[in-house]
Amino acid sequence: MIPRYTPPEMGRIWTDQRRYETWLSVECAAADAMAVHGLIPADAARDIRERGKVDAARVDEIERTTRHDVIAFTTAVAEHVGPSARWLHFGLTSSDVLDTAQALQLRESCDLLLADVDKLLGAIRDRAFDHKHTPMIGRTHGVHAEPMTFGLKLALWFDELVRDRERLTRAREAISVGKISGAVGTYAHLDPGIEQSVCDQLGLRPAPVASQVIQRDRHAELLSALAITAASLETFALEIRGLQKTEIGEVEEPFAKGQKGSSAMPHKRNPIGCEQITGLARLVRANALAALENIALWHERDISHSSVERIIFPDSFCSLDHMVRRFTGIVRDLVVYPERMLENLDRSRGVVFSGTVLLELARRGVSREEAYTWVQRNAMRSHDEHLDFKELLRKDEDVSQMLPLNDIDEVFDLKVQLRHVDSIFDRVFGDR
């Protein structure tokens, strides 16, 4: 059964209330740092931290008049802090708070996403070992190619997802920076030591240099990592959809008791989860393009990126987290039909071993060109006349002179064809 995953944790990170609370964390860290450096009274910093509260509804109410979200925020907090609020936001520009707080939200979102990716990796690993030696046909151009195992297909997914995780980890590091350097990044009103102290408290690194904002190539790197991960999930989901086609029928997305596939056709069992993942991947990719376009800002900054980021960050993280969670459920409960896989492998009447026959003839002294001609004419006849490829080879005088019957049988041995599966698994999984 596929649970209807919703990402309440991820969604909570991107609520207005959580966003304002994160702004307040930055303001408190800044006040603490300035108190230590003697710029503001210590009791004022204490009041800001102990009394500072924020309510999203109140901020929204004030913003309807101010038309400025940070001013509305500081006004709302000041109502709780009292007289010490004159030291709130002292020496800061809005982007000092916004960009530093946003780094905290992005980092927290990355951590949650990485934890969910780890669960998916575990699910794929388990199913890969379940089907390590389950033979199936490999397909190129949608056409039968050579035998493989379903476990190898899953191992490929695992290895790609490991790279996705590494990209997400690098991108998390890239965006884990803060800035308290003022309106154009010159520290005109606050010493760089304040910035260092704030970042130390929040577990961030100071941006080595910034304009009014942290430069958006960092954010574009993160959104690109999200988009690539989404594309990987789309690849896996698309494969399940292809293998679930009625004519193939090798795997099936789990279908819950009582679930309905069609309002008109009661027999339908559709891969709706995988189709949803495919669709959401398009959204995350589009958001990555928007993040790339946010890199170019006028001079030391303009506000063109701000409205875009209010949409693409929460949408991308919530969408991808949902995709990962849902696909984890699909993998865990995926229905696999090994008998159908073997039946489909045999459907092409043995021509999938043609490459092995070609190489064996070459080993025995036949030129590649001539061997190719011998093998292809039998493969084409097998295809056109629906005849068994191995039997055609046995009756072919050219082939049989070079390959005795026992040797032909060995060429068609699946165990020989798949003898390196264990070695591939060792390379992919190692001690994971």
Side-chain angles (χ1 to χ4, degrees):
M1 176 177 180
I2 307 175
R4 285 193 172 276
Y5 285 116
T6 57
E9 300 90 349
M10 188 67 80
R12 181 185 62 83
I13 294 171
W14 294 102
T15 61
D16 287 344
Q17 180 63 34
R18 177 63 174 170
R19 177 160 55 98
Y20 296 141
E21 289 170 354
T22 309
W23 290 4
L24 184 56
S25 295
V26 176
E27 294 280 6
C28 289
D32 288 343
M34 285 185 271
V36 169
H37 284 73
L39 296 179
I40 70 172
D43 57 351
R46 184 178 61 252
D47 287 345
I48 291 170
R49 181 168 291 281
E50 293 180 356
R51 299 179 183 175
K53 296 179 182 178
V54 64
D55 177 73
R58 178 56 178 153
V59 175
D60 292 345
E61 180 183 2
I62 298 170
E63 189 179 355
R64 283 193 285 272
T65 299
T66 65
R67 303 295 178 93
H68 193 289
D69 53 357
V70 176
I71 293 175
F73 160 78
T74 56
T75 302
V77 174
E79 292 175 346
H80 297 279
V81 173
S84 293
R86 71 191 182 97
W87 299 106
L88 177 69
H89 203 68
F90 184 76
L92 303 179
T93 191
S94 295
S95 291
D96 287 335
V97 177
L98 299 183
D99 277 11
T100 304
Q102 186 166 258
L104 297 176
Q105 288 179 282
L106 293 171
R107 185 181 63 184
E108 188 177 7
S109 296
C110 285
D111 289 342
L112 182 57
L113 182 59
L114 286 166
D116 288 336
V117 167
D118 285 340
K119 293 175 185 176
L120 176 54
L121 282 167
I124 294 175
R125 183 190 186 283
D126 290 345
R127 297 312 301 271
F129 277 91
D130 288 344
H131 295 283
K132 183 178 183 180
H133 296 294
T134 301
M136 67 180 298
I137 188 60
R139 298 171 173 89
T140 58
H141 305 277
V143 177
H144 282 202
E146 291 187 344
M148 59 179 295
T149 74
F150 187 54
L152 282 177
K153 190 180 292 288
L154 294 168
L156 191 74
W157 296 1
F158 182 93
D159 194 49
E160 181 169 343
L161 194 60
V162 167
R163 294 193 299 277
D164 290 327
R165 193 190 191 286
E166 291 170 350
R167 274 185 286 266
L168 290 170
T169 301
R170 290 194 297 269
R172 177 193 183 277
E173 182 70 12
I175 54 86
S176 294
V177 296
K179 61 92 58 181
I180 308 289
S181 54
V184 291
T186 59
Y187 302 96
H189 306 294
L190 295 175
D191 187 271
I194 301 295
E195 179 184 72
Q196 183 67 59
S197 179
V198 170
C199 288
D200 286 345
Q201 290 184 63
L202 300 174
L204 301 172
R205 304 183 319 281
V209 59
S211 57
Q212 189 176 91
V213 295
I214 293 171
Q215 274 48 60
R216 259 45 193 179
D217 63 291
R218 296 177 181 274
H219 306 76
E221 179 181 352
L222 174 59
L223 267 291
S224 297
L226 297 183
I228 294 171
T229 304
S232 293
L233 295 179
E234 180 185 16
T235 300
F236 310 155
L238 192 64
E239 182 66 14
I240 291 175
R241 290 170 58 194
L243 295 178
Q244 187 168 334
K245 289 180 181 179
T246 304
E247 305 84 63
I248 296 177
E250 294 179 354
V251 303
E252 191 173 73
E253 182 179 299
F255 193 83
K257 183 178 181 180
Q259 183 175 338
K260 312 299 181 186
S262 166
S263 62
M265 297 170 285
H267 70 278
K268 295 283 280 179
R269 293 159 67 104
N270 301 326
I272 57 170
C274 288
E275 289 173 340
Q276 182 185 82
I277 288 166
T278 300
L280 288 175
R282 299 167 186 166
L283 174 66
V284 181
R285 274 199 299 276
N287 287 349
L289 177 59
L292 289 167
E293 292 179 342
N294 275 351
I295 294 174
L297 303 176
W298 280 22
H299 305 300
E300 277 57 60
R301 76 90 56 123
D302 60 58
I303 203 172
S304 61
H305 64 289
S306 177
S307 56
V308 179
E309 291 176 352
R310 291 169 189 250
I311 298 171
I312 64 174
F313 290 156
D315 277 11
S316 295
F317 272 108
C318 289
S319 296
L320 183 55
D321 192 57
H322 174 78
M323 292 166 67
V324 172
R325 288 167 175 250
R326 179 139 202 196
F327 194 65
T328 301
I330 290 171
V331 170
R332 284 176 177 162
D333 296 329
L334 188 68
V335 182
V336 182
Y337 297 104
E339 299 83 3
R340 181 67 171 178
M341 289 179 174
L342 200 57
E343 178 185 339
N344 284 339
L345 195 158
D346 293 335
R347 184 181 293 273
S348 49
R349 293 171 292 277
V351 296
V352 296
F353 295 94
S354 68
T356 307
V357 177
L358 172 65
L359 294 177
E360 194 59 37
L361 288 171
R363 284 194 190 95
R364 296 172 187 240
V366 182
S367 72
R368 180 178 178 82
E369 291 74 17
E370 191 167 26
Y372 196 103
T373 298
W374 297 353
V375 174
Q376 187 184 43
R377 73 189 179 206
N378 286 285
M380 294 302 103
R381 188 179 174 198
S382 172
H383 180 274
D384 295 339
E385 300 179 25
H386 306 290
L387 299 174
D388 185 76
F389 181 56
K390 185 196 291 187
E391 290 303 315
L392 289 174
L393 292 175
R394 285 173 170 170
K395 295 175 182 178
D396 187 295
E397 292 184 1
D398 292 325
V399 175
S400 60
Q401 284 179 3
M402 304 302 298
L403 285 177
L405 296 183
N406 289 340
D407 291 348
I408 291 178
D409 287 339
E410 186 174 352
V411 167
F412 283 76
D413 188 341
L414 266 179
K415 291 182 180 179
V416 174
Q417 193 84 8
L418 302 174
R419 64 191 180 279
H420 295 301
V421 169
D422 287 335
S423 296
I424 298 171
F425 264 61
D426 287 343
R427 293 197 305 190
V428 171
F429 298 101
D431 56 358
R432 292 191 180 109

